[in-house]
Amino acid sequence: MHQNRYSRQELFTPIGAGGQEEIQKKHVLIIGAGALGTGAAEALARAGVGKLTIVDRDYVEVSNLQRQQLYNEEDARKKLPKAIAAKYRLEQVNSLIDIDAIVADLTYQDLLKLAKNSDLMMDATDNYETRLVMNDVSQKLSIPWIYGACVGSYGMSYTIVPGVTPCFQCVWETMPQNGQTCDTAGIISPAVTMVTSHQVADALKILSGNMDALSGKIVTFDVWENQYQSIGVSRLKKVECTSCGSNPTYPYLTPEHTMKTAVLCGRDTVQIRPAEKKAVDLGDLHTIFSTQGLPVQYNSFLISVNLDPYRMVVFKDGRVLVHGTNDISEAKKTYHRIFS
C-alpha cells in the first residue's frame, strides 16, 4: 500500500523521491491542536512526515467544529482532549507514521525537552507568551519554527530560521496588532486554511531540504477584503536582541515567565496550573462529586463538574480550567473549594 502513497508528492520536482525520503525521516513538534494545529497536523500526516508530536492543553467543544477539521460531534460530547482526539483521527489517515499526543500546558522546561528531538516546531497556539518561549527554544537549540495566527478573515505566517532570519522577538513590535481574538471578532475557516497552507508549504521546504525556497518574509492577508501582502523583514534583525543577538540570554526560558494562573484568550475562562505537576485521581474526584449530587462528566483524561455559577474542568496533571469567569481571584476561590 505504501509504495505509491506519496507518488504525487514525489512527482513534484522540488521534492522528488529524495525529498520524500527526507520528509519521512523528520520529526515535527506541533504546539496547539486547534484550527491551525489540526490543519497542519493532517497535511503533514498525509505528506508522510515520520513523526508528529502534538501538544495541546484544551479539550474539544462544539464551537470548535466550525474550523477545527479533525474533530467531530462525538469528540465534543465526550470532551476529549484535543491532542488525543487528533491522534485518533490521524492514525486513521496514515498508519505508517508515529504520532505522539501530549495533553499539557507546556512549561519552558517541557518545551526544551520536546524540541531537542525535533526537526521543526509549528506554532498553532493562541497566546504570545508561548510563542516567545518557542522563539527562545528555537534560538537556543537552532531549530526552525513557523509562526501562524488568524482572526476574522485575517491571517499571517512567518518562518523563523535561527542564524538566518530575524527572530520573532526582533519583528514582534512591527507586526500588526489589533487585540482581537476569535471570541471577539469571530473567524472564518478560509482564513485558517490560508495560514495553514503557508505554514505547511514552508514546513515541506524545510523538511525536504529546500531551505533556499523560503522567502524569509512575513505573509499577511485578508481573504474577505481581498488583500495580500508579503513583507521583507531582513533589516529588522537586531544585534542586541536578547533571543537571537550576539549575546543571547533567552529571557523567556526562565521561571518568572512560567504562567501559573492565566485568563485564556477571549474564553471567559481562567487556567490554574499548580506550581508543581501532580497526578490527580479522577476516579476519586468523580466519586466525591457524584456523592454530593453535583452534575459531573468524566473520562480517562479529565473531569468536568458544575460548581454554580462556574464549571470546572480538572485534568490528570492537576491543571484546572474554571469556565464562566475571567476574574482570577474568583477562579482561585472555586479551585480551593475542591483543592484545599
Side-chain angles (χ1 to χ4, degrees):
M1 178 181 70
H2 65 281
Q3 290 180 345
N4 296 317
R5 185 177 194 119
Y6 310 115
S7 61
R8 300 305 185 272
Q9 192 160 280
E10 291 178 8
L11 286 172
F12 180 64
T13 302
I15 293 180
Q20 185 61 42
E21 287 182 11
E22 290 301 313
I23 290 170
Q24 290 173 239
K25 297 175 184 176
K26 296 301 195 298
H27 176 196
V28 178
L29 174 60
I30 301 176
I31 308 301
L36 295 180
T38 54
E42 181 172 353
L44 292 173
R46 292 185 184 279
V49 171
K51 180 175 180 179
L52 292 175
T53 296
I54 302 169
V55 185
D56 192 276
R57 65 187 181 184
D58 213 344
Y59 60 92
V60 182
E61 298 181 274
V62 172
S63 62
N64 302 148
L65 303 182
Q66 166 254 351
R67 66 199 178 281
Q68 299 182 16
Q69 64 191 52
L70 289 180
Y71 310 132
N72 59 34
E73 292 178 353
E74 184 70 1
D75 297 329
R77 188 186 68 77
K78 291 181 177 179
K79 290 184 169 57
L80 278 183
K82 290 182 179 180
I84 300 299
K87 174 180 168 68
Y88 288 164
R89 206 75 65 239
L90 292 173
E91 287 176 337
Q92 298 172 44
V93 169
N94 192 343
S95 61
L96 302 178
I97 67 173
D98 186 10
I99 302 170
D100 193 14
I102 298 174
V103 183
D105 185 31
L106 294 182
T107 64
Y108 75 92
Q109 298 101 321
D110 296 329
L111 190 52
L112 276 169
K113 290 177 184 177
L114 287 172
K116 190 177 296 183
N117 299 313
S118 68
D119 299 289
L120 173 67
M121 292 188 293
M122 299 286 284
D123 165 39
T125 186
D126 60 359
N127 69 89
Y128 283 96
E129 184 77 21
T130 301
R131 287 169 175 142
L132 288 165
V133 173
M134 289 180 70
N135 185 64
D136 274 4
V137 169
S138 164
Q139 297 299 319
K140 185 176 179 64
L141 301 181
S142 294
I143 297 169
W145 72 287
I146 304 177
Y147 161 77
C150 53
V151 64
S153 57
Y154 175 84
M156 63 192 307
S157 178
Y158 176 52
T159 298
I160 297 103
V161 180
V164 178
T165 66
C167 78
F168 185 75
Q169 189 172 195
C170 285
V171 303
W172 166 237
E173 294 180 357
T174 69
M175 287 187 177
Q177 301 169 47
N178 56 20
Q180 292 183 317
T181 70
C182 297
D183 296 88
T184 59
I187 189 168
I188 57 174
S189 60
V192 174
T193 304
M194 280 286 284
V195 175
T196 301
S197 294
H198 282 281
Q199 286 186 297
V200 173
D202 273 8
L204 291 178
K205 294 171 189 178
I206 293 169
L207 300 172
S208 65
N210 287 283
M211 300 290 288
D212 57 346
L214 296 171
S215 72
K217 297 180 179 181
I218 295 176
V219 175
T220 70
F221 49 82
D222 190 313
V223 295
W224 198 264
E225 299 296 334
N226 306 304
Q227 297 172 354
Y228 188 96
Q229 194 172 18
S230 184
I231 307 167
V233 294
S234 59
R235 294 182 180 179
L236 298 179
K237 190 169 178 61
K238 299 178 177 66
V239 175
E240 70 277 12
C241 177
T242 55
S243 294
C244 74
S246 55
N247 294 294
T249 57
Y250 313 117
Y252 291 90
L253 304 185
T254 54
E256 55 264 33
H257 285 100
T258 300
M259 292 187 299
K260 293 181 174 63
T261 305
V263 179
L264 298 191
C265 180
R267 289 278 305 277
D268 199 25
T269 297
V270 173
Q271 174 178 266
I272 299 174
R273 186 175 67 200
E276 296 183 7
K277 291 183 180 180
K278 57 180 180 179
V280 173
D281 191 320
L282 297 180
D284 284 351
L285 276 183
H286 182 260
T287 300
I288 293 170
F289 294 149
S290 298
T291 301
Q292 295 176 358
L294 295 170
V296 62
Q297 189 173 356
Y298 167 64
N299 61 40
S300 58
F301 306 102
L302 57 84
I303 188 166
S304 173
V305 59
N306 289 340
L307 296 169
D308 191 48
Y310 308 119
R311 181 167 63 88
M312 190 167 77
V313 176
V314 184
F315 294 84
K316 287 197 297 185
D317 62 359
R319 187 166 49 87
V320 173
L321 300 181
V322 181
H323 294 289
T325 182
N326 55 16
D327 185 319
I328 289 177
S329 63
E330 278 296 308
K332 285 183 175 179
K333 289 178 185 177
T334 303
Y335 175 85
H336 288 301
R337 287 173 62 182
I338 304 301
F339 302 100
S340 59

